[in-house]
Amino acid sequence: MLEQMGIAAKAASYKLALLSSREKNRVLEKIADYLEAQAQEILLANEQDLLEARRNGLSDAMLDRLALNPARLTAIANDVRQVCKLADPVGQVIDGGLLDSGLRIERRRVPLGVIGVIYEARPNVTVDVASLCLKTGNAAILRGGKETWRTNAATVKVIQQALEECGLPAGAVQAIESPDRALVNEMLRMDKYIDMLIPRGGAGLHKLCREQSTIPVITGGIGVCHILVDDSAEIDPALKIIVNAKTQRPSTCNTVETLLVHQGIAQQFLPALSKQMAESGVTLHADEQALALLQNGPAKVEAVKAEHYDDEFLSLDLNVKIVAGLDDAIDHIRQHGTQHSDAILTRTLRNADRFINEVDSSAVYVNASTRFTDGGQFGLGAEVAVSTQKLHARGPMGLEALTTYKWIGFGDDTIRA
């Protein structure tokens, strides 16, 4: 089955690579329209997935990721329309020039070919990946989690209908609907057909892909994100940022998981934090020093466990640790962070500069929420993933991250001396 999907995807990628921007945008516009016109079918499939997921005891965080509603589906369709408005990077000349030999060379962006994506209970990824791949002339093979197979199947059916009505092969976007995990292992070895693999899920999935894949893998999306409250921070603005970073959508990878508080502001800041977190329904997991300052406050608080510093809560839970200063905070982030998104709240320019230069994450913020690490928020359109590695792509992966380049040489009957 996967062999045939690979053959179809590779064949489709050759056709997609030749499309003009106008032709690609026409497909995307039709996909957006069909997502709204056929919303009832997609939402019904999603309700069935949710029902089964609840029966299977899926966590609230995962249920939130899985759930669609009319507003979310409209937002997904609008994300596709936003991709239409973005500049098409394919064919863009990156650089070049005339060599002493008389050969004129240039580096030109081209599609990668076939993109494989393995993801869990995130039905929006199906449309995000499809739209970004189509915009860049790439075919896509998608393997969503078993929790979303009905939603993914209904969504891909809509996408394929739009493709065929525009005279393009349905093989340009395909989904593996079977929940058989053996197919994942088979997919990891489809280097004959898939040019890049993107896992979007937990640490176990990333480890499996890194160890077993014969295809180049882009890893990321695991966010143990930190916010440092410097001793120069202003309390009210800091609390506003922390509430946003923790509660706006707790199940996302750019949600803050650990709050580092400078010891010079802790006695003043932590009681205010407790009051705010109680109002926001957040449970605090505090180190020994912080616990002493929080235990009489209104927020629910308990002693932090060592493993909490290395895991995503993806819920209304927040670690709180008092640090001696900037060096202590940076050391903690280096030891426990995942190079995703980290922030400093400060009114000291020197500390802001040090944090920016010394925290090696894909996104670093000064006086801003970590929730901004998102393709749409960065102006990239819908993202295919957030990469926390350093080669090829880093941070939110938009259109350019789904291209490679080729060298082109123009001669005038030119030969090498």
Side-chain angles (χ1 to χ4, degrees):
M1 179 187 77
L2 291 193
E3 178 87 8
Q4 293 305 312
M5 291 180 71
I7 292 170
K10 183 62 75 174
S13 73
Y14 298 139
K15 295 185 177 181
L16 294 175
L18 301 177
L19 296 179
S20 67
S21 295
R22 179 177 295 180
E23 290 170 317
K24 289 185 279 191
N25 286 340
R26 179 170 170 257
V27 178
L28 294 174
E29 288 164 0
K30 194 173 286 291
I31 289 172
D33 291 343
Y34 281 3
L35 286 172
E36 292 179 329
Q38 301 184 38
Q40 186 174 353
E41 290 87 343
I42 296 172
L43 293 175
L44 179 60
N46 187 249
E47 286 177 10
Q48 293 173 327
D49 282 337
L50 281 169
L51 187 64
E52 184 172 339
R54 289 191 187 97
R55 283 201 302 262
N56 292 335
L58 209 65
S59 69
D60 288 343
M62 293 298 283
L63 287 171
D64 179 61
R65 288 185 175 186
L66 170 58
L68 286 179
N69 55 43
R72 283 189 181 182
L73 194 54
T74 297
I76 290 170
N78 286 334
D79 283 342
V80 178
R81 296 186 179 102
Q82 183 62 34
V83 172
C84 292
K85 299 176 184 177
L86 297 173
D88 185 353
V90 176
Q92 178 188 92
V93 176
I94 301 170
D95 54 28
L98 184 64
L99 303 179
D100 291 342
S101 63
L103 188 70
R104 181 168 61 85
I105 62 166
E106 63 181 37
R107 257 190 326 152
R108 187 181 298 176
R109 290 195 184 279
V110 296
L112 280 162
V114 179
I115 310 296
V117 183
I118 304 173
Y119 53 106
E120 295 176 349
R122 304 177 183 184
N124 64 296
V125 174
T126 304
V127 181
D128 290 348
V129 171
S131 61
L132 287 173
C133 285
L134 292 173
K135 180 76 175 191
T136 48
N138 293 294
I141 296 178
L142 312 173
R143 203 282 185 179
K146 64 181 183 298
E147 304 88 359
T148 59
W149 75 268
R150 297 178 185 86
T151 308
N152 293 337
T155 305
V156 169
K157 181 180 177 181
V158 169
I159 293 169
Q160 291 181 337
Q161 181 183 347
L163 284 164
E164 290 180 327
E165 289 196 13
C166 291
L168 296 171
V173 177
Q174 301 174 82
I176 301 171
E177 296 177 14
S178 171
D180 187 354
R181 293 185 68 87
L183 293 177
V184 173
N185 291 324
E186 185 179 343
M187 183 180 181
L188 297 181
R189 290 169 171 77
M190 291 177 63
D191 54 283
K192 183 177 179 180
Y193 306 108
I194 298 176
D195 297 286
M196 186 171 76
L197 186 70
I198 304 172
R200 292 188 56 162
L205 174 62
H206 286 242
K207 184 174 185 291
L208 174 69
C209 292
R210 284 195 302 268
E211 293 178 351
Q212 302 296 325
S213 177
T214 58
I215 306 164
V217 178
I218 294 283
T219 57
I222 299 173
V224 180
C225 303
H226 301 79
I227 292 180
L228 167 62
V229 182
D230 189 32
D231 59 348
S232 65
E234 296 180 16
I235 291 179
D236 288 344
L239 291 173
K240 183 178 179 180
I241 290 169
I242 293 163
V243 169
N244 178 264
K246 182 72 260 184
T247 70
Q248 198 221 16
R249 196 171 177 194
S251 64
T252 58
C253 60
N254 54 19
T255 294
V256 64
E257 303 291 9
T258 297
L259 190 65
L260 303 173
V261 181
H262 192 293
Q263 63 183 6
I265 199 175
Q267 286 191 334
Q268 183 183 7
F269 180 77
L270 291 182
L273 175 73
S274 180
K275 182 176 183 295
Q276 184 63 69
M277 293 299 100
E279 293 175 2
S280 302
V282 176
T283 298
L284 301 176
H285 303 262
D287 75 345
E288 186 176 354
Q289 284 182 279
L291 188 62
L293 295 172
L294 289 166
Q295 59 189 0
N296 294 324
K300 182 180 178 182
V301 61
E302 56 189 55
V304 69
K305 297 179 181 177
E307 58 267 25
H308 286 164
Y309 289 131
D310 298 305
D311 294 332
E312 292 178 298
F313 281 117
L314 304 176
S315 59
L316 290 175
D317 292 86
L318 179 66
N319 298 320
V320 182
K321 176 180 173 65
I322 293 178
V323 292
L326 194 56
D327 289 335
D328 193 12
I330 291 171
D331 286 344
H332 180 93
I333 293 171
R334 287 174 177 172
Q335 182 177 352
H336 300 284
T338 53
Q339 297 185 310
H340 194 293
S341 304
D342 298 292
I344 182 172
L345 311 183
T346 184
R347 290 294 184 260
T348 304
L349 182 60
R350 179 176 178 274
N351 287 351
D353 285 342
R354 277 198 61 200
F355 193 87
I356 290 169
N357 293 330
E358 297 182 36
V359 173
D360 185 21
S361 296
S362 62
V364 179
Y365 298 93
V366 177
N367 298 325
S369 170
T370 56
R371 285 283 290 124
F372 283 104
T373 307
D374 173 85
Q377 294 295 317
F378 278 18
L380 304 176
E383 71 191 28
V384 67
V386 176
S387 169
T388 54
Q389 63 185 46
K390 298 184 180 182
L391 294 181
H392 175 62
R394 200 176 196 203
M397 294 175 60
L399 296 176
E400 287 188 2
L402 295 182
T403 65
T404 183
Y405 58 82
K406 64 171 63 172
W407 289 98
I408 301 170
F410 297 94
D412 185 13
D413 300 326
T414 307
I415 61 172
R416 179 172 174 174

